Each structure stands twice: as C-alpha cells, then as structure tokens.
Amino acid sequence: QVQLVESGGGLVQAGDSLRLSCAASGRTSSSYAMGWFRQAPGKERDFVAAISRSGGNTYYGDSVKGRFTISRDNGKNTVYLQMNSLKPEDTAVYYCAADRGSGLALSQYRYNYWGQGTQVTVSS
C-alpha cells in the first residue's frame, strides 16, 4: 500500500507556472505507474498526465499537451507536474494517483491509491 500527499497548489494568474509535487510513502513509488487527474466544480474527474514506473514513458491529456510535464524521482518517491502557460480553465483540484498495473492508464478506475488533492486556481 502507498500513501500519497500532493502539494504545490495555489492561486496564480493566467500565463504563470506552478509545479505540483506528490510525495509517496509506504511501498516505494517505483512499484507504481503514476497519474495526475483534476476535477473542476460540477465536473467529472479528468485525466491530466501519466508516467510509467521507470519514468521512461509519459502520456498527456489533449488539453494540457505541450504545457504540462509529468516527471518522477524514484529516489525521492516523488512525482511532479510542471504546469506552464496556465489558463483559467486549468482551475481545479489536482489529484495524484498510483496504479499497480502495467502500462499507462488513462482511466481513473485503473488507479488504486489517491491523494487528497491540491487546489489550483488560475485567475484571468
């Protein structure tokens, strides 16, 4: 089992950057593929990005491709989401998740463990 804690959210202006972190404890994060999801008020939870166990493979949702970068440091048991050129429509609670399965999962239902989320608000 693994526990996940997100940090790094906040209030920024459009065009700014933020870096979210997801610290894993318990079983080492290198045992899991990792993903970031987000949920805006009144909307479903959407896939943002995923990274393989080694970090060699990544995948992004269409709305963030070219602006966001997912990475991981297995030595620190931490996954990051670098968010550049932020837009008001990026406003949401961002969740980190861990997947015991192989490959990269886009569906939230593949993920086994979740953090509590961190709020990102982008003003226009």
Side-chain angles (χ1 to χ4, degrees):
Q1 190 166 349
V2 64
Q3 293 78 43
L4 304 172
V5 179
E6 302 96 334
S7 61
L11 172 62
V12 296
Q13 293 186 332
D16 286 351
S17 298
L18 273 178
R19 188 177 80 158
L20 305 183
S21 299
C22 173
S25 61
R27 191 170 179 179
T28 57
S29 64
S30 60
S31 300
Y32 303 90
M34 301 294 292
W36 285 96
F37 290 77
R38 66 186 183 185
Q39 188 168 19
K43 296 187 177 181
E44 294 187 352
R45 190 171 295 186
D46 289 334
F47 170 78
V48 174
I51 189 166
S52 61
R53 297 178 185 185
S54 68
N57 292 307
T58 58
Y59 194 82
Y60 297 92
D62 288 341
S63 62
V64 306
K65 203 172 295 182
R67 299 188 298 124
F68 290 11
T69 302
I70 188 171
S71 61
R72 67 190 301 163
D73 184 337
N74 286 339
K76 296 182 178 180
N77 281 338
T78 302
V79 177
Y80 304 98
L81 185 69
Q82 177 66 44
M83 306 186 295
N84 297 330
S85 302
L86 282 162
K87 304 175 182 180
E89 50 264 44
D90 294 318
T91 295
V93 177
Y94 283 71
Y95 297 91
C96 171
D99 171 24
R100 290 193 302 250
S102 60
L104 293 179
L106 279 64
S107 169
Q108 61 176 313
Y109 301 106
R110 270 278 304 272
Y111 288 82
N112 307 103
Y113 305 103
W114 292 83
Q116 82 290 348
T118 186
Q119 177 71 47
V120 172
T121 303
V122 184
S123 64
S124 57

